[in-house]
Amino acid sequence: MKPNADGVVLLSGGNPQIPKGYGNEPVQAYIKAMPGWKSDMGRRIDTLIEKAVPGVHKAIKWNSPFYGFEGDLWIVSYHCFDKYIKVTFFRGTSLDPVPPVASKTPDTRYFHIYEDKPFDEDQFTDWIKQAAALPPEKL
């Protein structure tokens, strides 16, 4: 795999390879390196999460942005694939309505964001607020 113009290697599906790190800086590096339309969507996702959960903690783990609370306690993450961004809600089965895509992990649900499909910011924000009120996942 060859680095892009910013020196970031894009892994399978165009997912940026960003070193593990805590705080806003590595998450912004990931968002900047997201290919095409996904970078603008990454900024939207990041802004919506920050507004819904003031003081949210951020990290890059396993080449994905994670959002949650101090102590490696996480509520949501996302990851780039070829045609969509996969948002992971770690306690997704407790959200109302439940995000549409099932997981092998019993509590986890996914929401896929596509370039050519509407993105319901109100629903997404509601899920984030609900997720923040639930016990986070220790990872």
Side-chain angles (χ1 to χ4, degrees):
M1 286 169 253
K2 202 166 120 175
N4 67 12
D6 293 324
V8 176
V9 171
L10 296 179
L11 302 171
S12 175
N15 195 56
Q17 184 177 33
I18 301 294
K20 179 180 176 179
Y22 290 85
N24 191 48
E25 187 175 324
V27 170
Q28 295 309 314
Y30 178 96
I31 291 168
K32 181 179 179 192
M34 292 169 78
W37 66 272
K38 295 172 192 155
S39 185
D40 285 339
M41 183 57 72
R43 279 190 288 283
R44 285 175 71 189
I45 292 168
D46 185 69
T47 297
L48 291 171
I49 294 171
E50 284 182 340
K51 286 181 180 176
V53 186
V56 70
H57 284 246
K58 301 179 187 182
I60 295 293
K61 298 167 79 71
W62 302 289
N63 295 308
S64 297
F66 280 68
Y67 296 79
F69 306 103
E70 191 172 1
D72 278 333
L73 301 170
W74 307 108
I75 60 171
V76 67
S77 178
Y78 55 92
H79 192 90
C80 288
F81 286 88
D82 281 331
K83 299 191 183 306
Y84 63 93
I85 298 170
K86 177 172 81 175
V87 179
T88 303
F89 291 97
F90 298 109
R91 302 278 185 230
T93 57
S94 297
L95 303 179
D96 183 22
V98 173
V101 183
S103 169
K104 292 177 187 174
T105 306
D107 290 341
T108 300
R109 294 293 287 199
Y110 302 119
F111 175 65
H112 296 167
I113 301 171
Y114 294 89
E115 178 179 23
D116 59 350
K117 293 187 180 174
F119 176 63
D120 186 340
E121 288 189 8
D122 292 336
Q123 179 61 73
F124 185 81
T125 299
D126 186 54
W127 278 332
I128 295 297
K129 289 177 180 179
Q130 288 181 58
L134 296 168
E137 183 74 24
K138 176 85 168 154
L139 296 171

